[in-house]
Amino acid sequence: MRNGEWEVSGRAQLPEHEKYTLVSVIEGKGYLRIQTSEYPLVKGDHLILPVDFGPYELAGELVLIISRE
């Protein structure tokens, strides 16, 4: 996945990255799943996802801005 706007309709996997992933929710709602835990996401949320947590899953109807180094 490259930096920039990303639309999720349903489910999508975010693979691990070398350092971190910054996520800003600019439209919609959904959730982030890390292993067996789920966290709600709504417009205006901002996340820093470190490399150590493993792969992430996003679900819902979301428009995101993704930034990775």
Side-chain angles (χ1 to χ4, degrees):
M1 172 189 8
R2 297 187 301 239
N3 291 340
E5 189 172 301
W6 202 39
E7 293 186 30
V8 175
S9 180
R11 294 177 185 241
Q13 290 280 75
L14 278 174
E16 286 186 83
H17 197 262
E18 290 180 12
K19 296 183 180 184
Y20 58 84
T21 301
L22 304 177
V23 179
S24 295
V25 181
I26 60 171
E27 290 292 333
K29 63 181 180 176
Y31 65 86
L32 167 71
R33 179 180 294 151
I34 303 171
Q35 297 174 1
T36 59
S37 298
E38 290 185 1
Y39 305 94
L41 297 174
V42 296
K43 180 179 178 179
D45 285 348
H46 302 279
L47 313 164
I48 300 172
L49 303 174
V51 68
D52 297 343
F53 284 171
Y56 312 94
E57 181 182 82
L58 295 165
E61 299 294 323
L62 298 159
V63 180
L64 310 165
I65 298 293
I66 303 289
S67 301
R68 309 175 109 179
E69 178 161 319

